Amino acid sequence: KRFPNCIDWDFTFTSAHAIQTSNNYLANYLSSFNPEVKVFRNSVPQIGDIKEPLKTPYLRIFFGALNRKKDWFPWIKTFNNISNQYPNKLFFDVVHDFEFYNSIDVPQTQKRFTPTCDYPTYLEIMKGCDICFLPLNNNQFNNCKSDLKAVEAGSFGLALLASSVVYSENFTDGINASFFNDSKSLSNILSEWILDPSKVRRIGRSAQKYVLNNRLFCYQLDERREWYDELWSRKDDLTKSIYNREPNIF
């Protein structure tokens, strides 16, 4: 049940009246500690402007992440091979991860590094890109993640270049995302996009449409309020349930 090498969070979950989380995988895990679990998928307040057709000679790839070396390291060689095969066709906008930035073998004029920054700056940099790189290895920790970054990127019309882990639950390969599971598939996607950049915009517009129709925060307002009101109406019973799970705190 437990995550290896992690703090024991049992008490945090069992001593709460209820738990709100962002995906079904995590909800199933949390329900072993507390039966009152509700999923609200991570959402965004609005979408960005529709992107104009590509006019620059290169595709701008966004990568921003914390502690993700094990996820991105297997793909660096492929990125560098494609960058060498198609000189001056890829530009990398990297937030926080300086090691990833240094591992990309392109001239300094084809990459930019931004140290850890505030959220508005992060979104502003993302908004200016064409592609969002979203690698995740298939493990328990990653399966507990939400697809928020894909939703953020999609809201700005970026094409999602992603592993199928997590992101295939709500996005569809070839429609509003492109999934890679090995070096060959990643290489093929990048080559195809470089040779026909209009496909980048098509995938991005489809992702933006998905976010517009499904992942705006306003769609959750009524359901959230109803759940919070319902929890409040059962406050005493929920408190008794905490007593049954954790009698020592009383």
Side-chain angles (χ1 to χ4, degrees), residues 16 28 37 50 81 87 98 104 122-123 125 138 154 180 199 213 225 227 233 235 249:
N28 289 334
V37 181
I50 296 176
N81 288 341
F98 193 62
I104 296 295
Y122 167 88
L123 292 179
I125 295 169
N138 189 7
F180 60 88
K199 293 182 178 180
N213 292 334
R225 178 173 177 174
W227 186 60
S233 71
K235 179 173 67 71
I249 68 173

Side-chain angles (χ1 to χ4, degrees), residues 43-249:
S43 302
V44 293
Q46 61 187 15
I47 63 168
D49 296 331
I50 296 176
K51 285 186 175 293
E52 298 290 335
L54 277 161
K55 297 178 182 178
T56 59
Y58 52 78
L59 297 173
R60 186 181 289 265
I61 298 176
F62 175 85
F63 180 74
L66 302 173
N67 303 320
R68 286 275 157 240
K69 182 175 181 179
K70 291 182 179 180
D71 296 303
W72 60 253
F73 185 77
W75 313 109
I76 284 296
K77 184 177 180 180
T78 302
F79 270 120
N80 289 336
N81 288 341
I82 291 295
S83 296
N84 291 328
Q85 184 179 349
Y86 299 99
N88 305 313
K89 292 298 184 180
L90 297 177
F91 184 98
F92 295 86
D93 229 328
V94 181
V95 175
H96 174 77
D97 197 324
F98 193 62
E99 190 170 3
F100 178 86
Y101 172 83
N102 279 334
S103 298
I104 296 295
D105 185 22
V106 297
Q108 294 295 320
T109 54
Q110 288 178 237
K111 58 182 180 179
R112 180 176 68 165
F113 177 72
T114 303
T116 307
C117 56
D118 57 36
Y119 188 55
T121 301
Y122 167 88
L123 292 179
E124 190 66 25
I125 295 169
M126 176 187 282
K127 182 172 66 174
C129 295
D130 307 305
I131 298 165
C132 187
F133 178 47
L134 299 163
L136 286 178
N137 292 328
N138 189 7
N139 55 50
Q140 185 183 29
F141 182 82
N142 283 344
N143 276 287
C144 287
K145 287 178 61 64
S146 84
D147 61 354
L148 175 60
K149 191 176 298 181
V151 175
E152 292 168 338
S155 74
F156 294 126
L158 275 67
L160 308 179
L161 180 60
S163 56
S164 57
V165 176
V166 172
Y167 301 111
S168 63
E169 182 176 346
N170 296 307
F171 292 88
T172 304
D173 188 32
I175 303 298
N176 48 31
S178 286
F179 297 139
F180 60 88
N181 292 303
D182 52 42
S183 296
K184 183 178 180 180
S185 58
L186 176 59
S187 180
N188 288 342
I189 294 168
L190 288 169
S191 297
E192 184 178 9
W193 285 357
I194 289 171
L195 296 174
D196 187 0
S198 66
K199 293 182 178 180
V200 174
R201 284 292 187 260
R202 179 177 60 80
I203 293 286
R205 282 196 294 270
S206 184
Q208 192 172 37
K209 183 177 180 180
Y210 163 76
V211 175
L212 174 64
N213 292 334
N214 300 277
R215 302 298 290 274
L216 296 186
F217 185 77
C218 60
Y219 299 146
Q220 299 180 356
L221 290 178
D222 290 342
E223 186 179 3
R224 282 175 180 261
R225 178 173 177 174
E226 288 172 5
W227 186 60
Y228 301 149
D229 286 346
E230 192 265 342
L231 289 177
W232 183 255
S233 71
R234 296 192 293 123
K235 179 173 67 71
D236 291 341
D237 288 338
L238 293 173
T239 301
K240 291 177 182 178
S241 296
I242 296 174
Y243 178 84
N244 293 331
R245 293 191 298 268
E246 296 289 348
N248 290 335
I249 68 173

